Amino acid sequence: EPKRSLEPEEHEKLRTQMDDLYQRLLPSDESEGRRAQLVKKLDRLLNTEWPGNDIRVNVFGSSGNLLASSDSDVDICITTPLKKLESMHSIAMLLHKNGMEKVVCRASAKVPIVKCWDPELNLAADLNVNNPLALENTRMIKTYVQLDDRVRPLAKIIKYWTKRRILNDAAFGGTISSYTWICMIINFLQRRDPPILPSLQKKAEERKQPENGKIPQFADNLDELKSFGGANKETLPDLLFQFFRHYGYEFEYSKYVVSVKEGRLLSRQEKGWDPANHYEKEARNRLCVEEPFTLNRNLGNSADDYAWSGIHGEIRRAFELLADGCQLEKCCEEYEFP
Ligand code: ATP
Ligand code: MG
């Protein structure tokens, strides 16, 4: 039986370590400034090249959800009615012409993107065109982060751990994306007793229909929702410890699906992702995380069963290191390839 909770002196030790780490992870004003400059620069470049096309440069991902560090990439979504930009080729050319380096165009990806490096501002960027879903789910994550003061430090520390242990690159390592981890964190907080976070999507459904008949996708009335988690008194050290305990030992991966939309777990049967189904037969123990707006999308799919068992092992490693004398630094030690 894995240790249930932290002793008072362990709790204090972990609190100090988490406070220190969180301070280090907050993006500097200088790096925030560079991010803003990049947006301005791209806005100018694009609107000079294709004037009169209402081209807007929006940030999404960690640059828009309050979970960026100084070294995070900038995720950028360009919106415009000018359809020819959607293929990304002409944008890639424009960036290249204007001094951007390492310009790579992934035109055939599900969401076509261009990657580039700005040597002047020292920033990497991922750009796509007309992807409203990404803007909307970023705004929802940001709302969750703002709802309770514990979310931001907890999520930033867990994200840092995933980065250091190479557990957050869905494209490269057969692991899962930061976005997937964030959904796991939100759902964990929705399922605490009493809950720390509500389901913002359910809150939106519950509300009286507005006059214009347009129901928002999720509730964003921060002022009213801010008191939601107040009855839960768990501290940051408790939550970090319980996060690793939960996903390391308690969660039954073969039975349940993480659902931020519902704010609870769904059974695999209810979701239709039953491991007994023929096409999911090999996916017996794999992580299942429902994308909050595209419900048939399993964000856990980027890791196959083998990759997932490695990630699961890393979650247990983190738990053991915290349970055995709160070794947060060792827990987040840079992974070394054997
Ligand atoms: P990091 O700081 O590590 O880059 P991040 O918050 O930017 O973290 P990413 O995983 O890079 O997280 O994802 C960036 C954004 O892309 C997410 O906020 C989300 O809007 C969108 N996104 C990523 N994966 C998906 C997906 N499978 N379906 C829908 N949207 C996604
Ligand atoms: Mg990102």
Side-chain angles (χ1 to χ4, degrees), residues 131-199:
N131 186 8
L133 173 68
L135 295 177
E136 198 63 359
N137 64 28
T138 295
R139 209 168 62 77
M140 185 168 80
I141 301 289
K142 182 181 182 183
T143 308
Y144 277 119
V145 172
Q146 290 173 305
L147 271 189
D148 188 284
D149 292 339
R150 291 166 283 192
V151 186
R152 194 175 184 210
L154 182 71
K156 284 190 65 86
I157 287 170
I158 294 171
K159 262 186 75 177
Y160 175 69
W161 164 78
T162 67
K163 236 165 231 171
R164 299 276 288 180
R165 304 303 296 172
I166 325 187
L167 305 172
N168 77 334
D169 193 337
F172 154 79
T175 62
I176 56 182
S177 67
S178 290
Y179 179 59
T180 310
W181 284 107
I182 294 166
C183 289
M184 289 169 71
I185 296 165
I186 290 172
N187 189 240
F188 165 76
L189 296 173
Q190 289 171 326
R191 292 185 282 111
R192 300 310 291 165
D193 184 19
I196 293 180
L197 294 175
S199 157

XYZ file of all heavy atoms in Angstrom, residues 131-199:
570
model
N -7.540 28.151 -36.742
C -7.803 26.986 -35.892
C -8.515 27.459 -34.627
O -7.930 27.533 -33.555
C -6.465 26.301 -35.570
C -6.645 24.999 -34.808
O -7.764 24.513 -34.637
N -5.550 24.446 -34.334
N -9.821 27.803 -34.781
C -10.540 28.411 -33.655
C -10.614 27.502 -32.436
O -10.662 27.981 -31.308
C -11.941 28.686 -34.222
C -12.053 27.848 -35.449
C -10.666 27.643 -35.964
N -10.602 26.181 -32.663
C -10.679 25.254 -31.537
C -9.532 25.471 -30.558
O -9.715 25.479 -29.343
C -10.676 23.806 -32.049
C -10.593 22.737 -30.965
C -11.865 22.707 -30.134
C -10.317 21.363 -31.573
N -8.333 25.668 -31.106
C -7.164 25.844 -30.240
C -7.279 27.125 -29.411
O -6.879 27.162 -28.247
C -5.887 25.854 -31.069
N -7.850 28.163 -30.025
C -8.019 29.412 -29.273
C -9.042 29.233 -28.169
O -8.883 29.717 -27.055
C -8.463 30.541 -30.218
C -7.449 30.935 -31.291
C -8.035 32.011 -32.204
C -6.164 31.443 -30.642
N -10.099 28.501 -28.478
C -11.174 28.289 -27.512
C -10.712 27.393 -26.362
O -10.949 27.711 -25.191
C -12.362 27.657 -28.259
C -13.679 27.744 -27.565
C -14.204 29.163 -27.348
O -13.529 30.146 -27.722
O -15.287 29.284 -26.768
N -10.020 26.305 -26.655
C -9.609 25.444 -25.536
C -8.504 26.099 -24.707
O -8.411 25.879 -23.505
C -9.319 23.993 -25.956
C -8.160 23.810 -26.887
O -7.216 24.595 -26.899
N -8.209 22.746 -27.692
N -7.711 26.968 -25.331
C -6.720 27.725 -24.551
C -7.418 28.671 -23.569
O -7.040 28.775 -22.404
C -5.812 28.551 -25.483
O -5.045 27.650 -26.279
C -4.879 29.461 -24.696
N -8.477 29.337 -24.052
C -9.187 30.268 -23.191
C -9.867 29.512 -22.038
O -9.943 30.006 -20.921
C -10.220 31.039 -24.014
C -10.522 32.444 -23.495
C -11.329 33.242 -24.516
N -12.628 32.661 -24.795
C -13.688 32.750 -23.983
N -13.619 33.418 -22.856
N -14.837 32.184 -24.310
N -10.310 28.302 -22.316
C -10.924 27.520 -21.229
C -9.869 27.109 -20.201
O -10.105 27.205 -18.994
C -11.663 26.296 -21.761
C -12.397 25.573 -20.631
S -13.568 24.334 -21.172
C -12.483 22.958 -21.517
N -8.704 26.654 -20.668
C -7.636 26.281 -19.723
C -7.270 27.495 -18.867
O -7.134 27.400 -17.643
C -6.364 25.798 -20.470
C -6.643 24.594 -21.367
C -5.237 25.498 -19.475
C -6.911 23.313 -20.681
N -7.149 28.650 -19.507
C -6.803 29.853 -18.763
C -7.848 30.143 -17.684
O -7.507 30.513 -16.555
C -6.690 31.041 -19.725
C -6.298 32.328 -19.043
C -6.235 33.474 -20.024
C -5.792 34.749 -19.318
N -5.789 35.896 -20.235
N -9.110 29.949 -18.016
C -10.169 30.181 -17.030
C -10.020 29.216 -15.855
O -10.120 29.614 -14.693
C -11.557 30.032 -17.692
O -11.591 30.850 -18.864
C -12.663 30.465 -16.752
N -9.759 27.947 -16.131
C -9.515 26.992 -15.035
C -8.325 27.428 -14.174
O -8.368 27.348 -12.951
C -9.246 25.583 -15.583
C -10.484 24.783 -15.916
C -10.726 24.349 -17.218
C -11.400 24.444 -14.927
C -11.858 23.605 -17.524
C -12.538 23.689 -15.221
C -12.764 23.273 -16.518
O -13.876 22.538 -16.810
N -7.269 27.909 -14.821
C -6.073 28.316 -14.076
C -6.392 29.494 -13.156
O -5.888 29.580 -12.040
C -4.926 28.676 -15.049
C -3.745 29.293 -14.307
C -4.469 27.437 -15.822
N -7.271 30.380 -13.612
C -7.592 31.568 -12.819
C -8.591 31.298 -11.689
O -8.753 32.123 -10.796
C -8.172 32.652 -13.738
C -7.136 33.247 -14.671
C -7.781 34.178 -15.682
O -8.708 33.785 -16.399
N -7.321 35.404 -15.753
N -9.276 30.145 -11.752
C -10.348 29.883 -10.792
C -9.863 29.653 -9.374
O -10.558 29.964 -8.416
C -11.124 28.636 -11.217
C -12.296 28.847 -12.150
C -13.068 27.549 -12.282
C -13.200 29.930 -11.601
N -8.707 29.052 -9.222
C -8.223 28.729 -7.885
C -6.714 28.937 -7.869
O -6.024 28.528 -8.802
C -8.570 27.273 -7.540
C -8.262 26.924 -6.092
O -7.063 26.737 -5.763
O -9.203 26.857 -5.281
N -6.216 29.552 -6.811
C -4.795 29.913 -6.761
C -3.848 28.718 -6.748
O -2.652 28.880 -6.947
C -4.511 30.754 -5.505
C -5.176 32.112 -5.605
O -5.489 32.536 -6.742
O -5.390 32.750 -4.549
N -4.372 27.535 -6.493
C -3.493 26.371 -6.443
C -3.198 25.809 -7.819
O -2.235 25.078 -8.006
C -4.134 25.289 -5.567
C -4.177 25.674 -4.093
C -5.104 24.776 -3.297
N -6.515 25.113 -3.517
C -7.519 24.646 -2.787
N -7.286 23.798 -1.793
N -8.768 24.990 -3.041
N -4.038 26.138 -8.803
C -3.910 25.475 -10.109
C -2.606 25.851 -10.808
O -1.895 24.983 -11.331
C -5.103 25.801 -11.034
C -5.012 24.992 -12.322
C -6.421 25.531 -10.329
N -2.292 27.151 -10.803
C -1.123 27.577 -11.581
C 0.174 26.973 -11.049
O 0.929 26.372 -11.824
C -1.074 29.106 -11.630
C -0.121 29.618 -12.677
C -0.175 31.132 -12.779
N 0.693 31.590 -13.863
C 1.321 32.762 -13.866
N 1.182 33.595 -12.847
N 2.104 33.090 -14.869
N 0.481 27.120 -9.750
C 1.734 26.512 -9.283
C 1.753 24.993 -9.445
O 2.770 24.428 -9.865
C 1.814 26.903 -7.803
C 0.548 27.586 -7.454
C -0.162 27.940 -8.710
N 0.635 24.337 -9.163
C 0.618 22.874 -9.302
C 0.889 22.478 -10.752
O 1.742 21.625 -11.033
C -0.735 22.317 -8.842
C -0.844 20.796 -8.906
C 0.034 20.145 -7.826
C -2.290 20.321 -8.760
N 0.195 23.105 -11.685
C 0.339 22.738 -13.095
C 1.732 23.087 -13.612
O 2.318 22.330 -14.392
C -0.734 23.428 -13.945
N 2.273 24.204 -13.182
C 3.597 24.576 -13.667
C 4.663 23.611 -13.164
O 5.588 23.252 -13.891
C 3.938 26.021 -13.269
C 3.200 27.036 -14.157
C 3.705 28.445 -13.950
C 5.137 28.595 -14.385
N 5.265 28.896 -15.810
N 4.523 23.180 -11.922
C 5.517 22.253 -11.375
C 5.400 20.880 -12.050
O 6.401 20.272 -12.420
C 5.393 22.181 -9.838
C 5.937 23.495 -9.249
C 6.122 20.964 -9.267
C 5.680 23.694 -7.778
N 4.178 20.423 -12.272
C 4.017 19.136 -12.955
C 4.516 19.233 -14.400
O 5.201 18.340 -14.906
C 2.555 18.642 -12.887
C 2.195 18.325 -11.429
C 2.347 17.414 -13.770
C 0.727 18.047 -11.194
N 4.223 20.339 -15.070
C 4.729 20.522 -16.440
C 6.258 20.501 -16.477
O 6.859 19.934 -17.382
C 4.249 21.866 -17.012
C 3.035 21.759 -17.906
C 2.705 23.090 -18.553
C 3.653 23.430 -19.677
N 3.273 24.702 -20.342
N 6.859 21.138 -15.493
C 8.319 21.158 -15.415
C 8.858 19.737 -15.258
O 9.784 19.323 -15.959
C 8.749 22.035 -14.235
C 10.234 22.037 -13.966
C 11.117 22.643 -14.860
C 10.754 21.436 -12.816
C 12.482 22.653 -14.604
C 12.117 21.445 -12.555
C 12.978 22.051 -13.458
O 14.325 22.058 -13.213
N 8.232 18.980 -14.386
C 8.640 17.585 -14.202
C 8.499 16.811 -15.517
O 9.409 16.076 -15.902
C 7.792 16.957 -13.079
C 7.815 15.465 -13.012
C 8.815 14.682 -12.485
C 6.805 14.560 -13.493
N 8.482 13.353 -12.621
C 7.261 13.249 -13.226
C 5.563 14.733 -14.112
C 6.509 12.123 -13.570
C 4.820 13.609 -14.449
C 5.296 12.319 -14.182
N 7.389 16.987 -16.243
C 7.215 16.247 -17.511
C 8.299 16.630 -18.517
O 8.761 15.799 -19.283
C 5.839 16.490 -18.175
O 5.739 17.859 -18.615
C 4.691 16.176 -17.253
N 8.692 17.906 -18.506
C 9.713 18.353 -19.433
C 11.064 17.742 -19.105
O 11.775 17.234 -19.975
C 9.835 19.871 -19.370
C 9.646 20.470 -20.724
C 9.390 21.918 -20.801
C 8.157 22.039 -21.672
N 7.585 23.336 -21.729
N 11.417 17.778 -17.828
C 12.717 17.272 -17.398
C 12.831 15.761 -17.596
O 13.908 15.239 -17.850
C 12.938 17.626 -15.922
C 12.937 19.120 -15.686
C 14.264 19.725 -15.952
N 15.202 19.350 -14.915
C 16.474 19.745 -14.878
N 16.937 20.540 -15.831
N 17.271 19.357 -13.905
N 11.735 15.057 -17.481
C 11.731 13.598 -17.638
C 11.364 13.182 -19.067
O 11.142 11.991 -19.326
C 10.770 12.945 -16.630
C 11.036 13.292 -15.164
C 12.433 12.964 -14.688
N 12.707 11.534 -14.710
C 13.922 10.993 -14.493
N 14.955 11.780 -14.251
N 14.096 9.694 -14.537
N 11.266 14.162 -19.961
C 10.942 13.922 -21.382
C 9.636 13.144 -21.537
O 9.575 12.108 -22.206
C 12.093 13.205 -22.118
C 13.431 13.685 -21.566
C 12.029 13.476 -23.614
C 14.634 13.194 -22.319
N 8.599 13.658 -20.896
C 7.301 12.980 -20.932
C 6.241 13.817 -21.627
O 5.058 13.551 -21.513
C 6.826 12.704 -19.499
C 7.796 11.930 -18.610
C 7.282 11.897 -17.179
C 7.966 10.514 -19.144
N 6.648 14.873 -22.355
C 5.613 15.773 -22.884
C 5.811 16.153 -24.340
O 5.552 17.281 -24.717
C 5.533 17.038 -22.036
C 6.666 17.997 -22.348
O 7.706 17.553 -22.794
N 6.449 19.272 -22.148
N 6.229 15.211 -25.148
C 6.326 15.542 -26.558
C 5.608 14.506 -27.403
O 6.176 13.496 -27.800
C 7.793 15.653 -26.981
C 7.911 16.307 -28.346
O 6.925 16.258 -29.113
O 8.977 16.861 -28.647
N 4.324 14.775 -27.652
C 3.498 13.799 -28.358
C 4.044 13.522 -29.744
O 3.970 12.403 -30.245
C 2.064 14.302 -28.449
N 4.622 14.527 -30.384
C 5.066 14.354 -31.762
C 6.356 13.543 -31.824
O 6.533 12.688 -32.678
C 5.268 15.714 -32.415
N 7.254 13.788 -30.883
C 8.582 13.205 -30.979
C 8.727 11.868 -30.248
O 9.118 10.879 -30.814
C 9.621 14.225 -30.474
C 10.892 13.644 -29.946
C 11.883 13.211 -30.813
C 11.101 13.535 -28.581
C 13.053 12.676 -30.329
C 12.284 12.995 -28.087
C 13.256 12.572 -28.963
N 8.376 11.829 -29.010
C 8.753 10.663 -28.216
C 7.699 9.600 -28.042
O 7.887 8.665 -27.286
N 6.546 9.703 -28.742
C 5.489 8.747 -28.450
C 5.002 8.919 -27.029
O 4.584 7.973 -26.372
N 5.092 10.125 -26.507
C 4.557 10.358 -25.160
C 3.265 11.174 -25.298
O 2.571 11.047 -26.291
C 5.601 11.050 -24.246
O 5.921 12.323 -24.780
C 6.851 10.219 -24.135
N 2.936 11.985 -24.327
C 1.698 12.751 -24.415
C 2.017 14.238 -24.311
O 3.028 14.626 -23.739
C 0.676 12.318 -23.341
C 1.258 12.432 -21.938
C 0.202 10.900 -23.599
C 0.319 11.964 -20.842
N 1.146 15.071 -24.859
C 1.442 16.502 -24.949
C 1.205 17.202 -23.610
O 0.523 16.677 -22.724
C 0.556 17.144 -26.007
O -0.795 17.106 -25.587
N 1.751 18.411 -23.501
C 1.481 19.233 -22.316
C -0.017 19.398 -22.123
O -0.532 19.361 -21.010
C 2.096 20.621 -22.469
O 3.496 20.550 -22.412
N -0.693 19.575 -23.242
C -2.145 19.787 -23.190
C -2.841 18.589 -22.524
O -3.758 18.756 -21.721
C -2.647 20.019 -24.609
C -4.126 20.237 -24.741
C -4.753 21.293 -24.078
C -4.898 19.396 -25.535
C -6.117 21.498 -24.209
C -6.257 19.601 -25.672
C -6.871 20.644 -25.005
O -8.226 20.841 -25.139
N -2.386 17.386 -22.848
C -2.970 16.187 -22.246
C -2.702 16.154 -20.737
O -3.598 15.871 -19.934
C -2.398 14.927 -22.921
O -2.518 15.075 -24.333
C -3.109 13.674 -22.469
N -1.479 16.478 -20.359
C -1.154 16.537 -18.920
C -2.048 17.557 -18.223
O -2.539 17.327 -17.116
C 0.317 16.917 -18.706
C 1.289 15.797 -18.962
C 2.122 15.674 -20.033
C 1.542 14.646 -18.128
N 2.875 14.522 -19.921
C 2.539 13.879 -18.767
C 1.007 14.206 -16.920
C 3.025 12.679 -18.215
C 1.483 13.009 -16.370
C 2.482 12.264 -17.022
N -2.260 18.698 -18.869
C -3.083 19.749 -18.245
C -4.512 19.244 -18.042
O -5.121 19.479 -16.999
C -3.050 21.034 -19.111
C -1.637 21.637 -19.111
C -4.050 22.063 -18.598
C -1.406 22.695 -20.182
N -5.037 18.516 -19.029
C -6.380 17.939 -18.864
C -6.402 16.942 -17.704
O -7.368 16.887 -16.934
C -6.842 17.254 -20.155
S -7.235 18.421 -21.482
N -5.330 16.162 -17.549
C -5.271 15.212 -16.427
C -5.240 15.953 -15.089
O -5.845 15.518 -14.108
C -4.034 14.320 -16.552
C -4.134 13.306 -17.692
S -2.552 12.480 -18.013
C -2.395 11.430 -16.549
N -4.524 17.064 -15.040
C -4.438 17.842 -13.797
C -5.803 18.461 -13.464
O -6.285 18.375 -12.334
C -3.360 18.946 -13.925
C -1.978 18.327 -14.102
C -3.387 19.872 -12.704
C -0.900 19.305 -14.586
N -6.445 19.051 -14.463
C -7.754 19.681 -14.232
C -8.760 18.639 -13.743
O -9.473 18.849 -12.765
C -8.259 20.377 -15.511
C -7.396 21.618 -15.798
C -9.731 20.781 -15.382
C -7.678 22.268 -17.137
N -8.771 17.484 -14.408
C -9.739 16.464 -14.020
C -9.457 15.916 -12.609
O -10.380 15.647 -11.835
C -9.762 15.335 -15.058
C -10.904 14.358 -14.832
O -10.696 13.170 -14.613
N -12.134 14.847 -14.851
N -8.173 15.790 -12.278
C -7.802 15.397 -10.910
C -8.375 16.397 -9.899
O -8.967 16.011 -8.886
C -6.271 15.324 -10.827
C -5.698 15.277 -9.433
C -5.738 14.113 -8.686
C -5.096 16.407 -8.883
C -5.195 14.076 -7.400
C -4.551 16.380 -7.612
C -4.608 15.216 -6.860
N -8.286 17.682 -10.196
C -8.780 18.714 -9.274
C -10.318 18.761 -9.248
O -10.921 19.111 -8.245
C -8.198 20.087 -9.641
C -6.668 20.182 -9.485
C -6.149 21.515 -10.029
C -6.250 20.009 -8.020
N -10.949 18.369 -10.353
C -12.419 18.288 -10.387
C -12.920 17.136 -9.520
O -14.057 17.156 -9.061
C -12.905 18.057 -11.831
C -12.748 19.260 -12.757
C -13.045 18.899 -14.207
O -12.772 17.774 -14.662
N -13.593 19.851 -14.957
N -12.048 16.139 -9.321
C -12.475 14.937 -8.607
C -11.997 14.885 -7.159
O -12.137 13.874 -6.491
C -12.005 13.688 -9.365
C -12.703 13.514 -10.701
C -12.343 12.225 -11.400
N -11.047 12.257 -12.059
C -9.975 11.550 -11.664
N -10.047 10.742 -10.614
N -8.841 11.645 -12.317
N -11.386 15.954 -6.657
C -11.049 15.986 -5.232
C -12.346 16.067 -4.438
O -13.392 16.452 -4.974
C -10.145 17.187 -4.871
C -8.813 17.249 -5.584
C -8.043 15.965 -5.532
N -7.547 15.637 -4.195
C -7.093 14.435 -3.835
N -7.092 13.437 -4.704
N -6.652 14.218 -2.620
N -12.278 15.751 -3.150
C -13.469 15.774 -2.316
C -13.232 16.682 -1.117
O -12.452 16.300 -0.241
C -13.794 14.337 -1.876
C -15.083 14.279 -1.079
O -15.872 15.240 -1.174
O -15.280 13.287 -0.354
N -13.865 17.852 -1.039
C -14.722 18.482 -2.046
C -13.914 18.962 -3.250
O -12.717 19.169 -3.132
C -15.339 19.670 -1.288
C -14.459 19.924 -0.120
C -13.728 18.662 0.192
N -14.590 19.114 -4.395
C -13.859 19.464 -5.623
C -13.209 20.846 -5.559
O -13.728 21.744 -4.909
C -14.926 19.425 -6.710
C -16.228 19.485 -6.017
C -16.027 18.932 -4.649
N -12.089 20.981 -6.238
C -11.399 22.274 -6.315
C -11.834 23.017 -7.576
O -11.921 24.237 -7.578
C -9.868 22.052 -6.267
C -9.484 21.519 -4.869
C -9.102 23.340 -6.598
C -8.003 21.247 -4.667
N -12.113 22.277 -8.638
C -12.583 22.898 -9.887
C -13.927 22.291 -10.301
O -14.156 21.101 -10.102
C -11.558 22.673 -11.011
C -10.202 23.360 -10.857
C -9.268 22.938 -11.995
C -10.355 24.880 -10.829
N -14.799 23.093 -10.899
C -16.051 22.572 -11.469
C -15.793 22.121 -12.906
O -14.671 22.218 -13.389
C -16.943 23.813 -11.477
C -15.975 24.936 -11.758
C -14.665 24.550 -11.102
N -16.831 21.643 -13.597
C -16.751 21.538 -15.056
C -17.307 22.826 -15.629
O -18.494 23.120 -15.466
C -17.576 20.356 -15.571
O -17.904 20.603 -16.937
